[in-house]
Amino acid sequence: MQILQYVGDRAIALPPEALADALARQEGTLWVDMTGPTAEDQRVLAEVFKFHPLAIEDTLKQAQRPKLEEYEGYFFMTLHAVQATAQRGTSVSLQEIDLFCAPRYIVTVHPHPVPALEEARARLGRAAGGQRVHADYVLYAIVDSAVDTYFPIIDRLDASLDRLEDHLFRRPTPRALDQLFHIKRSLLYLRRVSTPLRDIFNVLTHHDSELVRPQTLVYYRDVYDHLLRITDLVDTHRDLLTGAMEIYLTVISNRLNEVVKVLTVVTALLGAGAVITGFYGMNFERTFPPFAWRGGALAAVLLILATWTAAFMVFRRLRWL
Amino acid sequence: MQILQYVGDRAIALPPEALADALARQEGTLWVDMTGPTAEDQRVLAEVFKFHPLAIEDTLKQAQRPKLEEYEGYFFMTLHAVQATAQRGTSVSLQEIDLFCAPRYIVTVHPHPVPALEEARARLGRAAGGQRVHADYVLYAIVDSAVDTYFPIIDRLDASLDRLEDHLFRRPTPRALDQLFHIKRSLLYLRRVSTPLRDIFNVLTHHDSELVRPQTLVYYRDVYDHLLRITDLVDTHRDLLTGAMEIYLTVISNRLNEVVKVLTVVTALLGAGAVITGFYGMNFERTFPPFAWRGGALAAVLLILATWTAAFMVFRRLRWL
Amino acid sequence: MQILQYVGDRAIALPPEALADALARQEGTLWVDMTGPTAEDQRVLAEVFKFHPLAIEDTLKQAQRPKLEEYEGYFFMTLHAVQATAQRGTSVSLQEIDLFCAPRYIVTVHPHPVPALEEARARLGRAAGGQRVHADYVLYAIVDSAVDTYFPIIDRLDASLDRLEDHLFRRPTPRALDQLFHIKRSLLYLRRVSTPLRDIFNVLTHHDSELVRPQTLVYYRDVYDHLLRITDLVDTHRDLLTGAMEIYLTVISNRLNEVVKVLTVVTALLGAGAVITGFYGMNFERTFPPFAWRGGALAAVLLILATWTAAFMVFRRLRWL
Amino acid sequence: MQILQYVGDRAIALPPEALADALARQEGTLWVDMTGPTAEDQRVLAEVFKFHPLAIEDTLKQAQRPKLEEYEGYFFMTLHAVQATAQRGTSVSLQEIDLFCAPRYIVTVHPHPVPALEEARARLGRAAGGQRVHADYVLYAIVDSAVDTYFPIIDRLDASLDRLEDHLFRRPTPRALDQLFHIKRSLLYLRRVSTPLRDIFNVLTHHDSELVRPQTLVYYRDVYDHLLRITDLVDTHRDLLTGAMEIYLTVISNRLNEVVKVLTVVTALLGAGAVITGFYGMNFERTFPPFAWRGGALAAVLLILATWTAAFMVFRRLRWL
Amino acid sequence: MQILQYVGDRAIALPPEALADALARQEGTLWVDMTGPTAEDQRVLAEVFKFHPLAIEDTLKQAQRPKLEEYEGYFFMTLHAVQATAQRGTSVSLQEIDLFCAPRYIVTVHPHPVPALEEARARLGRAAGGQRVHADYVLYAIVDSAVDTYFPIIDRLDASLDRLEDHLFRRPTPRALDQLFHIKRSLLYLRRVSTPLRDIFNVLTHHDSELVRPQTLVYYRDVYDHLLRITDLVDTHRDLLTGAMEIYLTVISNRLNEVVKVLTVVTALLGAGAVITGFYGMNFERTFPPFAWRGGALAAVLLILATWTAAFMVFRRLRWL
């Protein structure tokens, strides 16, 4: 548990024991960040903050959907930061952040350390004291840092998709299909966490809310605008992905046509050769001039070559070669 | 018919004869659970509870859609628990629960025993007496137990789909197609029963309702949140399923290309061999040096091998082998 | 023209001449059922009932969309009963019913006799006199009888689809494709007549309406619930149909792979045989030991068999056989 | 410019010079119909009627979307009649009609003569004088005549689609594909002009409008009902078209399977013949009994025929023939 | 930075230094156009205009979504002009324009020169002085010029698509697929920038807005109508594109059928020739009349030709040739 208190122009790190006191004093804004939460953290949530058991239960389970719930005296919010997983450039992992927000404090709970929260802390460190003493600005800094983690991921997926498209036109491989499918999965995950968050911010910025003061609203509108762009980009990329999939299937069908044309040409040429050599292999050698002719073998070879040249020209004309 | 009365801190099992009395006394909450319903149960519904004939008719027919209907003095609700069927891991069976709910009693009717109701009874056994003496909390316990049966099913479908995807990239079999189709059917069933229920809870939690007291609303919001996640997950899995289907088709097309390439290579190599041996089988043996040459057969074999090696290298370069 | 008057507890069949009188007396409910409508019927609609020319015109044309229009003093409604056509189990025919409804009378017009109306008459015969003296209850009986004709059709389509799916996995025939397409058409027709009707009943049951008295509303809600289930089932079946179509295409692609593999195996085995026999047919009989060897033909046969066995094992390992 | 004035029971054709006067007198309804519009027409629109430059500009450009715009003192409406083009039975051409409508006059502008307007003029000639002296009834006659041009086109597309479906099951030709695509394009055009018009009439009939008097509303509701049916039919046909496209692709895949099966049978039969004749062509004639046998050739022929019969029966059993 | 002041009937170009003064005097309308924005421009935005830091930040980043945000005393709008890129006729580039709009001034910011703004300047030069002294008319001129850049692009895509469709029916090449995909991408980009802009104008024209005076509203409605047409056209073209893609795939499948039929014919004809020549090559020359017959070779040739003619007629009848 890491406790920061923004009072006046100062940012003070408090020890856990000082929490109850600081809460009672109602001064500036307290940001309590819990990684885990540990058993002690859970006790604090239940006994010091007196949060509702259903909300505390939600901080213990992952795979929640972004949501904003109003309880008496505080709000509970779930949102996600995203991170590219190291192994595959096109896979993403979601980092759930559970948030309690009241006029004087913010409590963030997450199972593992989240870089976006480090970023938010750094940003708040640079912010004016007059802004960060209000909980809604601290909340903005946290949410905006989380939302900003979406853009590099989308850029990365966009670059992968671009590369794959070029690749698909030249050579459609099963590996490319595998990558397309990974991008699809990632886009589905991004959409699942960005769309509900966008709807939450739509409500926050278009209706009066106890959570946000009028003078901070412009910052929330900015986050909403970012979320609109994210969901827009995700949808556009889904469309492009579908297009890439269609290219894949079409290019494969095209290739099959090419291969079968080659097969037909091979069959025609070698078959013609077999018929001609078979003809001269018939047992009529004593009955017909050509079989007696000295230059017969040469004639046969020439006949085969002439047939091949003719067939070649026919296939050329058909544009099969 | 199994009757439980939650009064004060006690949970009392009542005999059927005591029902009319207990209803008249209006004390605590009565939960009447009917399996069937038997002819006697139907008589009780009609004569003791005086429910509307249309609602009683609905408890006799299955394959209802989740719904919430207000009658004078009580509500009628239909919802479903789900269960994986034993034979196929990816098939689900729906268990319809019909509910009558009034301020002092809950009546549940279902054709077969439903494990989710057992679970609800156990939960209520552990609940505080102050909560379970209100019908809306008892209703919450029942509905939440039913909704919680969806998550293990979805996890199971998710695992099956994951396994299938891996399988499809390696070897697309008709059996996998069959399984994909079963998962699709199960997702359709889940969606058909979860989406209307979600809409019902959306109304219950966002509008004033006679059914739910303000202090219980937070529990209903939790159920609504679960239902949102369920419908979300079902939709995501439908998208993934479509993707898996596309992989299936594409991998099959890919394989066909490979097979036809092999066919072409086989045709080319064996056809070339046939032409060469045919050539040396022509009846010009007395007219041309090569046919007289002692090492002719060896030369023919070497010629065939040389042709095969050349063809092999050409196909390698084309990446057909 | 068939006229029934429900007064008090009696149901009286009136002759056409008595219609104007009965209308003027305003007693109980009149149900005037017209098949055609004949020229005389049209005269009655225009002169006795004084309906609007546009509404009368609509009773003459078929292929209308379900609708509910309010005119001064009466409502005009169009809805459809459905019937399976005898020739093809999966085709449906729509039976349009045009309805005029006022507080004291119902006029139904349809080009051919409609079994659903017989059913409604029978139901009304069994209904309590207190109910059927109100036009809204008579209207309910008619509409509910019509809507109940949808369920057996949907069950039939469901059974056909189930049978087809099983069939498709085993053997995809063009006849199955033809049947899939017929089911698709039938579902489209059902959706076209059930969706607007559902919307009409949504309005009727959720808004105050002059057409329905509060005490009859619960019956209309029941019809609305049936229509919700019908449109739900139709949509689910459309999804299943799409799935069946995908199976069809995929199974065909799979089969093609199998056939081409057989072709490749046949080509390889017979081609190898041709090369080997061709080799021993070369004209080097006097120059090389094997051609002189007595057991040469046997050796050739053995060589061919050995080659075939080896090829067979290779294809087995590739799982092509 | 053709001017008709409906006053009392008379319909008077006015010369262009009399227009300003007639407008000033405010008697009955004036219908000014302009084909072009010519430079003189444009002058009249701008100077006599004093329409807004933006609206006049819209009458000069085609390819507008149906719309209804309110200006001070008049409405501007754009709608389309449709016509089948002569060359291809499944192509449609759109005829844009721009309309100005005020309480005392209607001005219609269109680049070429529109048969639907002739039809409207004939209908108004037959209408009662009391109706046609009001601009909203004249507007109704014009719009209804235009909307009625959609039904024969849709019937025609329906018949084409029906014919094509039958055709596709028997023989899928590229020409059929071409026709499917033409029908698709036509349906897209119809939807583009009917959907916005339907929305306009939805607003006109469900909200109070200065444009329509209450007693004329029933006619506008009839047009709205026609438009609902048109958009409904267009959507149903789009679904059927997609189905036809799927049939096309599936039938082609099916055919390919058949062709490849024939190829395999041909390869197997002729290949077997080549191996058998090759076997008897081997140079072991002096070393082995069969080659010396007198009836050898006959035996070879019988062996080939036996092999073919066996292969034929195998393929029959596989249902490849 | 280019500053234009529209006062009375004059249009005055102001030097940057005069800006603060002109702003303070509040006379006519100021249009400040910034290309970049340069560091000096940013200073002016922040210190002279005192815009909100979030809005200024948005002018520095590209790839924004069209939006309209209200700040205290001014509006911030983002929209896009489009331009065909020179290299590929079917690719488009978006030119983002960021706009600040207040009752007395308009500030436009864009990274590169935008031809649409030149066009707007020319239009305003021709406009009546009474119109251009109001900021909402200047804004209209700018937005309308930007929106008008969409139509030539869509016409170009339409022409490309038409050409491609014709092309696809005759010869489906991978290059055509590549072009289809480029058109798809362009349509996606156009939709992404036109749809949100349409929604903004829907709000502007249907609700009271401080931005637009009632007398200018008609011009904004015209822009909204253009945007409706653009999004309509984009959607229609997306449907046509999908159709073209389906043609592509179907024509390829059709071609494959043709190629495989040719392969089968070739295999049948050459295989038959091989069997016949093989038959006469069997070593029974001394045992059976035909092998001794003088005209044997001629007979063999005739037999081959007869077989080929028969096969040819069979394939003709099957319509394979």
Side-chain angles (χ1 to χ4, degrees), chain B residues 50-269:
Chain B
K50 301 201 181 348
F51 291 140
H52 196 282
L54 284 173
I56 296 177
E57 212 186 302
D58 277 347
T59 66
L60 301 176
K61 290 183 295 187
Q62 298 304 308
Q64 303 290 324
R65 216 173 160 274
K67 63 177 170 180
L68 176 68
E69 290 179 341
E70 188 176 358
Y71 286 91
E72 268 200 76
Y74 58 94
F75 286 84
F76 178 68
M77 186 190 262
T78 297
L79 77 163
H80 300 77
V82 293
Q83 211 171 13
T85 56
Q87 312 102 286
R88 312 199 87 109
T90 53
S91 295
V92 301
S93 75
L94 304 178
Q95 300 170 320
E96 187 173 324
I97 304 169
D98 296 310
L99 259 172
F100 295 88
C101 181
R104 293 279 114 196
Y105 63 80
I106 302 267
V107 183
T108 49
V109 190
H110 42 89
H112 305 289
V114 177
L117 292 180
E118 287 307 318
E119 165 67 23
R121 213 165 283 130
R123 265 213 234 173
L124 285 168
R126 292 190 300 266
Q131 287 184 314
R132 70 194 188 193
V133 297
H134 295 286
D136 58 355
Y137 189 83
V138 175
L139 178 62
Y140 155 71
I142 293 171
V143 174
D144 197 41
S145 301
V147 167
D148 279 351
T149 60
Y150 289 74
F151 290 106
I153 300 286
I154 292 177
D155 285 350
R156 207 161 163 172
L157 295 177
D158 185 51
S160 295
L161 199 51
D162 254 21
R163 244 194 340 264
L164 273 174
E165 275 164 22
D166 279 358
H167 189 76
L168 287 176
F169 273 108
R170 283 183 291 107
R171 176 175 295 279
T173 59
R175 223 183 93 71
L177 182 65
D178 191 49
Q179 280 187 300
L180 278 181
F181 196 70
H182 267 93
I183 296 179
K184 177 166 196 172
R185 231 176 216 275
S186 298
L187 288 172
L188 273 174
Y189 288 153
L190 288 181
R191 202 168 64 138
R192 230 172 87 202
V193 294
S194 60
T195 312
L197 199 60
R198 179 197 61 190
D199 296 344
I200 289 169
F201 274 82
N202 187 15
V203 171
L204 279 183
T205 51
H206 288 95
H207 301 274
D208 279 344
S209 158
E210 295 177 38
L211 195 59
V212 186
R213 290 171 305 142
Q215 56 268 52
T216 327
L217 202 62
V218 66
Y219 293 101
Y220 280 75
R221 214 170 53 188
D222 194 51
V223 176
Y224 174 53
D225 180 50
H226 288 183
L227 285 164
L228 270 178
R229 265 168 59 207
I230 288 167
T231 50
D232 235 45
L233 284 168
V234 168
D235 284 349
T236 304
H237 280 92
R238 277 165 57 92
D239 276 358
L240 288 174
L241 195 83
T242 306
M245 205 76 186
E246 287 171 353
I247 292 175
Y248 191 99
L249 256 173
T250 318
V251 171
I252 285 179
S253 295
N254 243 340
R255 295 265 157 138
L256 182 59
N257 270 18
E258 296 310 311
V259 173
V260 175
K261 282 176 181 172
V262 169
L263 172 60
T264 308
V265 170
V266 163
T267 301
L269 297 192

Side-chain angles (χ1 to χ4, degrees), chain C residues 3 16 37 97 100 108 119 137 196 228 240 267 290 296 304 314 317 319-321:
Chain C
I3 308 172
I97 304 169
F100 295 88
T108 49
E119 167 66 23
Y137 189 83
L228 269 178
L240 288 174
T267 302
I304 290 173
V314 167
R317 168 117 358 142
R319 299 214 195 177
W320 283 26
L321 288 174

Side-chain angles (χ1 to χ4, degrees), chain D residues 212-252:
Chain D
V212 187
R213 290 169 307 141
Q215 55 267 50
T216 325
L217 201 63
V218 67
Y219 294 101
Y220 281 74
R221 213 170 54 189
D222 194 52
V223 175
Y224 174 54
D225 180 50
H226 289 183
L227 285 165
L228 269 178
R229 264 168 62 209
I230 288 166
T231 50
D232 235 43
L233 285 167
V234 167
D235 284 347
T236 304
H237 281 92
R238 277 165 57 93
D239 276 358
L240 289 174
L241 195 84
T242 306
M245 205 76 187
E246 285 171 355
I247 292 174
Y248 190 99
L249 255 173
T250 318
V251 171
I252 285 178

Side-chain angles (χ1 to χ4, degrees), chain D residues 81-95 115 149 152-154 156-157 160 179 182-183 185-186 189-190:
Chain D
V82 292
Q83 212 172 10
T85 56
Q87 313 102 286
R88 310 202 90 109
T90 52
S91 293
V92 301
S93 76
L94 303 178
Q95 300 170 319
T149 59
I153 300 285
I154 292 177
R156 208 161 164 173
L157 294 177
S160 295
Q179 280 187 300
H182 267 94
I183 296 178
R185 233 176 213 275
S186 299
Y189 288 153
L190 287 181

Side-chain angles (χ1 to χ4, degrees), chain E residues 29 101-106 124 130-143 209-217 219-220:
Chain E
T29 300
C101 180
R104 293 280 116 196
Y105 63 81
I106 302 267
L124 286 169
Q131 287 183 316
R132 69 192 189 195
V133 297
H134 295 286
D136 56 357
Y137 189 82
V138 175
L139 178 61
Y140 155 72
I142 292 171
V143 173
S209 159
E210 293 175 40
L211 194 58
V212 187
R213 290 170 305 141
Q215 55 268 51
T216 326
L217 202 62
Y219 294 100
Y220 281 74

Side-chain angles (χ1 to χ4, degrees), chain B residues 52 54 58 61-65 67 69-71 171-174 177-178 181 184-185 188-189 191-192 196 238 245 248-249 252 255-256 259-260 262-263 266-267 270 273-274 276-278 280-286 290-294 296-298 300-301 304 308, chain C residues 140 158 161-162 165 169 215 218-219 221-222 225-226 228-229 232-233 235-237 239-240 242-244 246-247 249-251 253-254 256-257 260-261 263-265 267-272 274-275 277-279 281-288 291 315 317-320:
Chain B
H52 196 282
L54 284 173
D58 277 347
K61 290 183 295 187
Q62 298 304 308
Q64 303 290 324
R65 216 173 160 274
K67 63 177 170 180
E69 290 179 341
E70 188 176 358
Y71 286 91
R171 176 175 295 279
T173 59
L177 182 65
D178 191 49
F181 196 70
K184 177 166 196 172
R185 231 176 216 275
L188 273 174
Y189 288 153
R191 202 168 64 138
R192 230 172 87 202
R238 277 165 57 92
M245 205 76 186
Y248 191 99
L249 256 173
I252 285 179
R255 295 265 157 138
L256 182 59
V259 173
V260 175
V262 169
L263 172 60
V266 163
T267 301
L270 294 180
I276 292 169
T277 58
Y280 285 105
M282 294 193 301
N283 287 320
F284 299 110
E285 57 201 291
R286 278 160 233 109
F291 296 95
W293 189 38
R294 277 210 154 238
L298 192 69
V301 170
I304 290 174
W308 286 2
Chain C
Y140 155 72
D158 185 51
L161 197 53
D162 254 21
E165 276 165 21
F169 273 109
Q215 55 267 53
V218 66
Y219 293 101
R221 212 173 52 188
D222 194 52
D225 180 50
H226 289 184
L228 269 178
R229 264 168 59 207
D232 234 44
L233 284 167
D235 283 348
T236 304
H237 281 91
D239 276 357
L240 288 174
T242 307
E246 286 171 353
I247 292 174
L249 257 174
T250 317
V251 171
S253 295
N254 243 339
L256 182 59
N257 269 17
V260 176
K261 281 176 182 171
L263 172 59
T264 308
V265 171
T267 302
L269 296 192
L270 294 179
V275 170
T277 59
F279 180 78
M282 293 193 301
N283 286 323
F284 299 110
E285 55 201 294
R286 276 160 235 110
T287 58
F288 207 80
F291 295 94
F315 287 125
R317 168 117 358 142
L318 290 171
R319 299 214 195 177
W320 283 26

